[in-house]
Amino acid sequence: MIAVGCAKGFKHFTCLPRGREEVLISVYNHDCVQDPSQPEYTDYLLGCYARYQRPYVWLRSNFSAKTKTFGQDVGNFESPLKLVSTKSKTTSERYRFIDDKQTNMIVSVPRVFEVIIELVRRNSQSYILNPFEIDFALLQTVSPFERVLLSAALIDFLKLIYVTPGSTCSNEVSNDLQGLIGVHFAAIKQILPTLPVHSSTLRPAMDLTPASSPVQSNLSAVQM
């Protein structure tokens, strides 16, 4: 959850962390271009609470427009959305498995990024191939130092999606992952010449001449 909340720079959604267990996800409404009455974003609360051991999603805005999208009464703030990605499955590799201490059974828990994929795709009438598409133009608007930090967080997050077996979006994120690596190292080259060099970090040249011990000095005096 922390990795999701700290990653900034996606084209189709933004995240705002609300502690360790909650993230507010604002998904861009692509259909608002054709329908001016639609708000620019739809807000969802994604919660991964330890007591439930699985993520749940609540709609937090644009209720009337999303009633048909999810096929339920989304006006009830207390009821989480019925999503395919939040249902338990026993064989899908897209889900991580945990040991349920109460039932002594191995149960499957959906991964957070699979939930985001469903939210982004169901939020638009047109199919979005890569829900985690990076807004590279946005990354160029921040300072090189900020760009290093943002690109590192995004690389770490996309790498998790790319290496997860059975992920429905691993191939789609590969191109953006390579592009982010290029942006990251380009930004590092920009900030390296500007970093201050502190004298405390400079070590003096090491004297390799063996120091004479008091015993050796006494022996030399006796020989003389």
Side-chain angles (χ1 to χ4, degrees):
M1 287 290 289
I2 296 178
V4 175
C6 294
K8 310 291 183 182
F10 297 106
K11 184 173 290 186
H12 301 294
F13 67 93
T14 61
C15 292
L16 179 65
R18 296 179 51 178
R20 295 178 58 88
E21 297 180 322
E22 293 182 345
V23 173
L24 185 66
I25 301 177
S26 297
V27 182
Y28 179 65
N29 292 323
H30 295 277
D31 303 327
C32 69
V33 178
Q34 292 81 15
D35 186 1
S37 64
Q38 288 286 331
E40 187 176 1
Y41 289 92
T42 298
D43 297 323
Y44 301 91
L45 178 63
L46 173 60
C48 292
Y49 308 107
R51 63 176 297 182
Y52 298 123
Q53 298 184 336
R54 68 183 63 254
Y56 286 101
V57 178
W58 290 264
L59 186 66
R60 285 295 177 256
S61 70
N62 201 13
F63 299 100
S64 59
K66 296 305 173 184
T67 301
K68 295 181 180 180
T69 302
F70 297 98
Q72 65 184 94
D73 181 13
V74 295
N76 187 353
F77 274 77
E78 302 302 324
S79 299
L81 297 176
K82 297 177 182 179
L83 303 176
V84 176
S85 56
T86 57
K87 294 180 180 179
S88 296
K89 294 186 178 181
T90 56
T91 58
S92 174
E93 290 183 338
R94 290 184 295 154
Y95 294 76
R96 61 184 178 89
F97 294 90
I98 62 172
D99 187 3
D100 191 337
K101 303 299 182 181
Q102 297 180 350
T103 60
N104 295 322
M105 296 176 60
I106 301 297
V107 297
S108 58
V109 179
R111 297 182 183 273
V112 170
F113 64 80
E114 294 290 348
V115 178
I116 297 177
I117 290 174
E118 182 175 359
L119 289 177
V120 172
R121 287 178 174 170
R122 294 185 67 171
N123 210 68
S124 176
Q125 294 181 2
S126 58
Y127 184 79
I128 297 178
L129 183 63
N130 180 13
F132 299 101
E133 184 178 356
I134 300 300
D135 190 348
F136 286 97
L138 177 63
L139 294 180
Q140 296 302 323
T141 62
V142 300
S143 66
F145 183 77
E146 291 178 286
R147 194 153 55 246
V148 169
L149 299 179
L150 285 176
S151 58
L154 289 169
I155 289 171
D156 185 63
F157 182 71
L158 292 190
K159 182 185 67 175
L160 172 65
I161 301 174
Y162 182 72
V163 301
T164 299
S167 171
T168 59
C169 207
S170 59
N171 293 331
E172 287 75 10
V173 303
S174 60
N175 290 334
D176 281 358
L177 185 57
Q178 296 178 22
L180 280 172
I181 294 174
V183 169
H184 180 73
F185 284 103
I188 289 178
K189 290 182 179 179
Q190 286 183 275
I191 67 174
L192 280 180
T194 64
L195 294 178
V197 179
H198 299 284
S199 58
S200 59
T201 62
L202 301 177
R203 296 182 179 180
M206 184 179 295
D207 185 7
L208 300 179
T209 305
S212 57
S213 65
V215 176
Q216 291 176 332
S217 300
N218 292 337
L219 287 176
S220 301
V222 171
Q223 290 177 352
M224 293 177 61

